[in-house]
Amino acid sequence: MSNERRVYPQLLLDNQLCFPLYAAARKVVNGYNPVLKPYGLTYTQYIVFLALWETENGKAKVGDLGRRLYLDCGTLTPLLKKMEESGWLSRCRCKVDERVVYVSLTEAGWALREELKSIPERVGQCFTMRDEDAKELYRLLHCLLEQ
């Protein structure tokens, strides 16, 4: 048997789409961390707020929230519990179907929106990407998510 090692191009790190996606996602999330830390927020909690602030009344079913954020119940449930303990939202079971849980922003959760409104701009200043490139990247990433 030969000691020669075969090269498999499909196994080269530079040939993986997943790797730059993973590394870029980490880089972006790490850009948010120092900005969110003074508020006691994680990036995932921040995107929960973004999704709830988009709703008409700050209320959503946990399942709908999970689908919107691409998060499973095992990730979302402890996160929401911690946010509830912080006083930012409340959770309640549907009276008609107890399997359904709703989350609703509290006044404190709504008030945080005012404090965090500058975060996208602050984080955006950390990355130098042409607007056209950012829009194309956004479009391509959403194409991938829709599959």
Side-chain angles (χ1 to χ4, degrees):
M1 185 168 193
S2 170
N3 284 339
E4 183 179 327
R5 295 185 188 256
R6 292 190 59 184
V7 175
Y8 296 102
Q10 69 270 26
L11 296 179
L12 295 175
L13 189 58
D14 287 340
N15 291 343
Q16 308 304 309
L17 175 61
C18 61
F19 180 69
L21 280 171
Y22 164 77
R26 283 183 43 88
K27 183 175 183 173
V28 170
V29 170
N30 285 338
Y32 278 89
N33 289 338
V35 178
L36 294 172
K37 188 174 183 176
Y39 301 97
L41 289 173
T42 65
Y43 176 76
T44 313
Q45 290 171 326
Y46 174 68
I47 63 171
V48 167
F49 275 121
L50 294 178
L52 289 172
W53 290 331
E54 284 180 3
T55 66
E56 185 177 324
N57 57 3
K59 183 176 181 177
K61 292 179 186 176
V62 171
D64 293 343
L65 197 55
R67 282 185 289 283
R68 174 81 169 105
L69 299 175
Y70 300 92
L71 295 172
D72 61 49
C73 204
T75 300
L76 197 52
T77 298
L79 180 79
L80 295 173
K81 183 178 180 184
K82 188 170 183 176
M83 292 175 77
E84 183 177 38
E85 290 167 359
S86 296
W88 293 322
L89 57 81
S90 62
R91 296 179 300 159
C92 68
R93 293 205 175 273
C94 177
K95 290 177 174 73
V96 177
D97 184 350
E98 289 191 5
R99 296 171 296 178
V100 177
V101 176
Y102 285 94
V103 291
S104 301
L105 288 170
T106 62
E107 286 301 317
W110 279 112
L112 201 55
R113 180 171 69 161
E114 191 64 28
E115 293 182 56
L116 301 181
K117 67 183 179 188
S118 67
I119 286 189
E121 183 181 343
R122 289 171 58 196
V123 173
Q125 292 172 352
C126 298
F127 301 100
T128 56
M129 181 181 277
R130 294 181 345 183
D131 284 346
E132 306 81 41
D133 292 340
K135 287 176 184 173
E136 179 65 4
L137 178 59
Y138 181 89
R139 185 189 71 75
L140 292 170
L141 290 172
H142 275 276
C143 285
L144 182 63
L145 288 172
E146 291 168 8
Q147 293 184 15

